[in-house]
Amino acid sequence: MQLWLCPLIAFLAGSIPFGLLIAKLKGVDIRQHGSGNIGATNVLRVIGKKYGITCLILDALKGFIPVMIAMNLIRIEGKHPALVFDFLNQFALHLSAADQFKGQLVHVLTALAAVLGHNYSPWVGFKGGKGIATSAGVLIGLMPPFGVVLLLIIWLLVFASTRYVSVASITAAVALPVMTHLGARFHHIDNDKSLPTLWEAGTWNKPLFVFTLIIAILAVWKHRSNLRRLREGTENRFEPKKKQSANV
């Protein structure tokens, strides 16, 4: 049951259009303003900083929490989820290290389902956001903390130098599978340099690498309109939201 239930929960959670709901609380249809996107960046630009940050956190959580549920329900020997849900212990499926591929596959399918739910939500006509915040949420659950921090640094450096959210997001997305590959190449088993690397031992997380490739491609595809505007020189640089006018 856990093998199909986890991706289903993830898709349903990912499909919740928090950006649309937050904007509606302010009497605004976010799809009719700014870029028309229901993601956190457009909410921040149109509605305001605190609403954009709230949307960002909620969109990340709808990726992080389903992945944590999956990692608690499908346990791999020697691997521990970043957040332990003790109430799920009685329902957990325990896999040996030899069967880790099956567990890793379900974990990343759950992560992918959350991102797809956000990008193609059935509640908004199978449209949605660009998946960056939700992808960040699932990666916090799937990747070592160092990898997540490095990815955040890449995003911040590109954003600070260009002021384009789209360029920073695309760059971080493209860097992700490269980082995952290099991590497998250079990370030693149990962090012991006397032992083989994960790549040499063949124990690296292959489903995670495929997942990072897929979400990198999805991120570029969902930003295709931004890429077109960048080529045309019409992409808007990010500017802090000024005080909301009375007629918005």
Side-chain angles (χ1 to χ4, degrees):
M1 180 182 68
Q2 295 92 327
L3 300 181
W4 60 265
L5 185 60
C6 291
L8 177 61
I9 291 173
F11 184 83
L12 292 175
S15 70
I16 302 172
F18 283 120
L20 182 66
L21 297 174
I22 290 170
K24 279 189 177 295
L25 290 176
K26 298 292 291 181
V28 175
D29 185 345
I30 195 67
R31 295 169 295 183
Q32 305 301 321
H33 297 271
S35 66
N37 191 271
I38 66 170
T41 300
N42 199 39
V43 172
L44 189 150
R45 283 197 180 108
V46 175
I47 308 299
K49 184 177 180 180
K50 67 178 181 180
Y51 300 101
I53 292 174
T54 300
C55 183
L56 176 69
I57 293 171
L58 290 173
D59 281 349
L61 284 174
K62 70 185 186 182
F64 177 74
I65 291 176
V67 167
M68 285 299 97
I69 291 174
M71 296 183 78
N72 276 271
L73 283 176
I74 303 171
R75 300 285 187 93
I76 301 173
E77 181 183 358
K79 308 287 185 182
H80 303 285
L83 189 62
V84 176
F85 298 147
D86 290 329
F87 67 94
L88 292 178
N89 286 343
Q90 60 182 316
F91 306 109
L93 173 65
H94 293 271
L95 300 176
S96 67
D99 287 329
Q100 71 172 3
F101 179 84
K102 181 189 293 185
Q104 291 169 343
L105 182 61
V106 176
H107 295 163
V108 300
L109 286 176
T110 300
L112 181 60
V115 176
L116 291 176
H118 176 79
N119 288 0
Y120 305 101
S121 172
W123 312 117
V124 287
F126 291 96
K127 297 178 181 178
K130 295 176 180 175
I132 300 301
T134 305
S135 295
V138 302
L139 290 172
I140 291 171
L142 291 173
M143 292 183 68
F146 174 77
V148 176
V149 171
L150 181 57
L151 201 64
L152 178 60
I153 290 172
I154 291 172
W155 191 96
L156 289 172
L157 287 174
V158 176
F159 175 69
S161 61
T162 66
R163 304 302 295 177
Y164 288 122
V165 174
S166 58
V167 174
S169 299
I170 292 169
T171 302
V174 172
L176 180 58
V178 177
M179 287 171 46
T180 306
H181 175 74
L182 292 177
R185 286 280 191 178
F186 295 103
H187 185 80
H188 292 263
I189 297 173
D190 297 329
N191 292 315
D192 187 342
K193 292 187 178 181
S194 66
L195 296 175
T197 64
L198 298 176
W199 183 273
E200 292 167 338
T203 58
W204 58 288
N205 195 331
K206 302 173 185 67
L208 177 60
F209 176 68
V210 174
F211 169 70
T212 59
L213 279 175
I214 291 172
I215 62 171
I217 293 169
L218 276 174
V220 174
W221 173 253
K222 294 292 284 186
H223 282 87
R224 62 193 184 278
S225 60
N226 302 84
L227 291 171
R228 183 180 65 253
R229 290 194 294 270
L230 285 165
R231 288 195 304 268
E232 296 170 351
T234 58
E235 177 78 336
N236 292 323
R237 282 187 168 87
F238 182 82
E239 298 294 341
K241 175 70 180 174
K242 295 183 180 178
K243 191 171 179 134
Q244 193 75 28
S245 61
N247 61 349
V248 171

